[in-house]
Amino acid sequence: MIDDPLLKVLPFAVLLMPLAGFVVLALFGDWIRRDKEETGAGILACVTVLVSFGLAAWTTVRLYGLVAGPSRLRFSQPYLGFEWMEAGGFRVPFSLLVDPLSCVMMLVVTGVGALIHVYSLGYMAHDEERVPYFSYLNLFTFFMLLLVLGGNLPLMFVGWEGVGLCSYLLIGFWYRKQSASAAGLKAFVVNRVGDVGLILGMAFMFHALGTLDLVDIADNAGSLAPEALGELGPATIACLLLFLGATGKSAQIPLHVWLPDAMEGPTPVSALIHAATMVTAGVYMVARLGPLYHVSETAMTTVAVVGAATALMAATIALVQTDIKRVLAYSTVSQLGYMFLACGVGAFGVGIFHLYTHAFFKALLFLGSGSVIHALSGEQDLRRMGGLWRRIPWTFGTFVVGALAIAGIPPLAGFFSKDEILLAAIGRPVLFGLGLFTALLTSFYMARLVFLAFFGSFRGGREAEHHVHESPWVMLFPLVLLAIGSAVAGFVRIPRVVAPVLRLEEHGVHHVAWLPVVATLTAVAGILVAYYLYQAVPGLRARLAPALRPALRLFEAKYHWDDVYDGFVRRVVVGGSEKVLWTRFDAGLIDGAVNGIGALTAALARTLRPVQTGLVRHYALLVLAGAVALLGWVFWS
């Protein structure tokens, strides 16, 4: 532990700046609304997050400057710390954990989050509810920082629930639209299902290890006996329960259904949730607890299989989406699956590496799609776009950089992190094959999106074409910076940076000469197939459709996950509640018992009613008889 007063204060300053912005906007929102432009709210929100980013960068530089190589600093009750909970042997301090892993997350959250705030100045310029919007953005950033900086699971859980609350507020921000309100509620409910697993996992963790401190858990994990595949020991149960929480927050099978519907919120919200913040929380938690997961082969296999299956499933659904934001939404689900695949094969640092690169190019793609929607006055249907590259060249250029990065074209960021994931999985042929095939689908659906939106002839009508316009520079500037990040972020060797924190050697082969070539050719093949089908010979799609119709129907139905959940809710939850809980249990048993007691009381009253004659001499006789009986019992005893 390093005795540096400034390092003890800086993390709290990083955390509290966005919270201060939220408090000011919440308390003085009505006063700010007097300004017809309401520019003050957006500027204040942007400044607080930009300052937070600067403080995060200062913290990172000072951490590495004071330590000979990466190290871990734990701040338990520094100047702003306090004892949060204590009951018997259960003690939870309000402590922030600052190490290379949390520094990476802190920089991503504040850096990408700040660009999304700036972008929102232009995108939400004409919205009537800008003050609450920016206050929610600030609160979201605060809770996400608390999640990644919390030094123990309960403190992380507060941030975890906080981003869940803010996602509900932001996804359903346009609450007058029924679909947006329903999407916010769906996200909230589905995440609560996952949170049950997280709470149970924390309880079991404390029972098994006696601590909820993240560093202590990592330290004590080495003392646990390894648990083989199929063995349900304490580490396996704890890891599987915690992973259930991760599947909810990071949208993995079977709790992935909320994320595509989250597109109903404003586009900057989609970028904030899908790129660098909320959905990556599950990946971060699993990586942070990597030493514990490494004890359980069952948990590791489960994480890898679920991640690979989710990556493939979401990629196939993205192939047939016609809404530009929903293509990117399913792409996010697929890329999160990639991250869990890396963690499941033991490459936790590689999973964080892909989280880091994904933050740049996915934020770029979502904000780029928002620029397209802005140019088309709200149109999101790819079938009503086309030929936009001439009309919005800056949006087009930056969007293509993001598309090539996620496709894995070298030397862009996505190439390096995807190559590392495939390298880590190369010892498991099935998982490696699924990962490589998913990479092919990724490049195909991203190329399809680009060709449909930017090339060919415009399909939205003359009036819409007349109004096509480039976005203002307050929206384009974040796109340019994110495009630069998508180009160069892969050169930062994140696995090497976070390796001392994870205390695990990355699994996999150190070097396979043919893998980068195969990965690149796979990505190029996906792009060429998309070009052939959507540009060179577009009529071929119609000829292939009958043969592919069964698969396309399955993809369009999203594997019927929503239908299954809808049927379960309607038949089991609602129907079961009506027929079993209401009709039989409530009305039959409980109401029957209450009514039966009432009927019994009434019958008893009718039977005893003749005793009450109303004559005083009868009552006096009864009192005398009672007194005689009482005295007789006393003398007899």
Side-chain angles (χ1 to χ4, degrees):
M1 187 170 182
I2 295 176
D3 186 17
D4 181 10
L6 188 59
L7 262 179
K8 292 183 178 181
V9 173
L10 281 175
F12 284 93
V14 173
L15 179 66
L16 294 177
M17 282 304 299
L19 181 62
F22 165 75
V23 171
V24 171
L25 292 176
L27 294 179
F28 301 102
D30 292 337
W31 179 78
I32 295 174
R33 288 170 185 266
R34 297 176 184 174
D35 176 13
K36 293 182 179 180
E37 298 296 328
E38 293 184 14
T39 55
I43 293 174
L44 174 63
C46 293
V47 167
T48 56
V49 181
L50 285 169
V51 171
S52 183
F53 172 70
L55 294 172
W58 190 6
T59 302
T60 304
V61 171
R62 194 166 184 88
L63 173 68
Y64 277 85
L66 286 176
V67 184
S71 181
R72 175 182 285 103
L73 300 180
R74 182 167 28 164
F75 299 105
S76 300
Q77 300 186 44
Y79 299 138
L80 300 177
F82 56 89
E83 193 72 30
W84 182 25
M85 291 185 288
E86 185 172 9
F90 182 72
R91 176 180 173 272
V92 180
F94 190 98
S95 60
L96 301 188
L97 175 61
V98 179
D99 58 17
L101 177 56
S102 59
C103 280
V104 169
M105 296 298 298
M106 187 167 52
L107 290 172
V108 168
V109 171
T110 56
V112 177
L115 293 177
I116 293 171
H117 277 69
V118 173
Y119 179 94
S120 296
L121 292 174
Y123 193 86
M124 302 294 289
H126 303 292
D127 195 283
E128 297 179 355
E129 300 293 333
R130 293 189 294 280
V131 174
Y133 170 82
F134 280 106
S135 69
Y136 296 159
L137 286 188
N138 269 188
L139 186 63
F140 190 104
T141 305
F142 162 74
F143 278 122
M144 189 65 200
L145 286 172
L146 182 63
L147 191 157
V148 300
L149 288 173
N152 51 68
L153 283 174
L155 195 57
M156 177 190 289
F157 184 71
V158 174
W160 189 281
E161 292 300 290
V163 295
L165 169 64
C166 293
S167 68
Y168 168 75
L169 297 173
L170 289 168
I171 293 169
F173 181 74
W174 288 325
Y175 59 89
R176 293 182 180 89
K177 186 168 66 170
Q178 179 61 32
S179 58
S181 179
L185 184 60
K186 183 177 183 179
F188 190 83
V189 171
V190 172
N191 274 275
R192 298 295 74 74
V193 175
D195 291 346
V196 172
L198 184 60
I199 294 171
L200 293 176
M202 287 194 296
F204 195 88
M205 182 81 69
F206 184 78
H207 174 72
L209 297 178
T211 181
L212 293 176
D213 185 276
L214 293 172
V215 175
D216 291 342
I217 290 173
D219 291 339
N220 296 340
S223 63
L224 297 175
E227 298 173 8
L229 186 64
E231 182 180 351
L232 289 178
T236 299
I237 296 175
C239 288
L240 290 179
L241 288 171
L242 293 172
F243 182 60
L244 177 60
T247 60
K249 195 67 72 181
S250 295
Q252 299 295 286
I253 294 174
L255 300 180
H256 65 283
V257 292
W258 69 269
L259 193 57
D261 289 353
M263 296 299 95
E264 295 294 337
T267 300
V269 171
S270 303
L272 188 67
I273 292 176
H274 286 232
T277 52
M278 178 176 167
V279 295
T280 61
V283 179
Y284 167 75
M285 181 185 69
V286 171
R288 170 66 74 182
L289 299 175
L292 178 67
Y293 273 84
H294 193 256
V295 173
S296 171
E297 187 178 353
T298 301
M300 294 286 284
T301 302
T302 302
V303 172
V305 171
V306 170
T310 304
L312 178 62
M313 181 201 68
T316 57
I317 297 175
L319 298 175
V320 297
Q321 296 300 305
T322 56
D323 186 305
I324 186 172
K325 289 174 65 176
R326 284 189 176 269
V327 175
L328 299 177
Y330 281 105
S331 170
T332 298
V333 177
S334 181
Q335 297 305 305
L336 290 166
Y338 252 111
M339 299 173 203
F340 280 113
L341 170 60
C343 292
V345 296
F348 297 100
V350 174
I352 296 297
F353 187 23
H354 197 56
L355 182 158
Y356 161 79
T357 59
H358 178 265
F360 289 98
F361 56 69
K362 187 50 63 68
L364 171 59
L365 291 170
F366 267 112
L367 297 184
S369 71
S371 185
V372 172
I373 295 168
H374 179 271
L376 298 175
S377 303
E379 182 60 65
Q380 297 182 199
D381 195 332
L382 290 167
R383 295 168 295 186
R384 298 182 59 82
M385 299 181 188
L388 297 178
W389 72 271
R390 295 186 183 90
R391 308 294 296 275
I392 48 175
W394 282 96
T395 299
F396 165 71
T398 54
F399 195 95
V400 167
V401 172
L404 293 176
I406 194 174
I409 300 298
L412 302 178
F415 164 77
F416 295 98
S417 55
K418 280 192 175 183
D419 186 67
E420 291 282 351
I421 293 173
L422 294 174
L423 181 64
I426 201 168
R428 303 188 181 184
V430 175
L431 296 178
F432 174 80
L434 290 176
L436 190 63
F437 184 62
T438 301
L440 174 68
L441 297 179
T442 302
S443 62
F444 175 83
Y445 67 66
M446 287 308 305
R448 168 184 176 266
L449 188 157
V450 171
F451 290 136
L452 287 175
F454 295 101
F455 290 93
S457 58
F458 186 75
R459 301 177 295 276
R462 288 189 176 183
E463 184 177 353
E465 185 176 13
H466 178 71
H467 291 91
V468 175
H469 57 285
E470 184 64 278
S471 299
W473 271 104
V474 72
M475 294 171 62
L476 293 178
F477 181 67
L479 296 183
V480 173
L481 291 183
L482 288 170
I484 295 173
S486 300
V488 304
F491 293 99
V492 180
R493 309 310 297 167
I494 295 297
R496 189 176 303 169
V497 172
V498 301
V501 177
L502 303 176
R503 287 174 281 181
L504 295 170
E505 293 185 4
E506 298 297 339
H507 289 243
V509 183
H510 291 290
H511 179 71
V512 178
W514 53 265
L515 182 57
V517 178
V518 171
T520 303
L521 291 177
T522 300
V524 172
I527 295 173
L528 292 178
V529 172
Y531 172 78
Y532 189 73
L533 291 176
Y534 290 90
Q535 286 295 113
V537 191
L540 181 60
R541 301 202 311 272
R543 297 196 296 269
L544 292 176
L548 299 176
R549 177 52 52 190
L552 294 179
R553 284 178 179 171
L554 182 63
F555 301 158
E556 290 169 353
K558 297 171 284 191
Y559 290 83
H560 299 285
W561 278 103
D562 285 304
D563 298 333
V564 170
Y565 282 128
D566 184 65
F568 175 79
V569 170
R570 289 180 183 274
R571 297 179 183 178
V572 178
V573 178
V574 178
S577 297
E578 290 179 351
K579 296 179 181 179
V580 179
L581 297 180
W582 177 22
T583 304
R584 298 182 181 179
F585 186 75
D586 187 17
L589 181 61
I590 297 179
D591 289 354
V594 172
N595 295 335
I597 293 173
L600 178 62
T601 304
L604 185 61
R606 286 192 298 269
T607 303
L608 298 177
R609 186 181 301 166
V611 177
Q612 302 293 331
T613 62
L615 298 176
V616 175
R617 61 177 178 272
H618 290 173
Y619 299 151
L621 183 61
L622 288 174
V623 170
L624 178 61
V628 171
L630 178 63
L631 288 173
W633 179 80
V634 169
F635 288 126
W636 179 82
S637 62

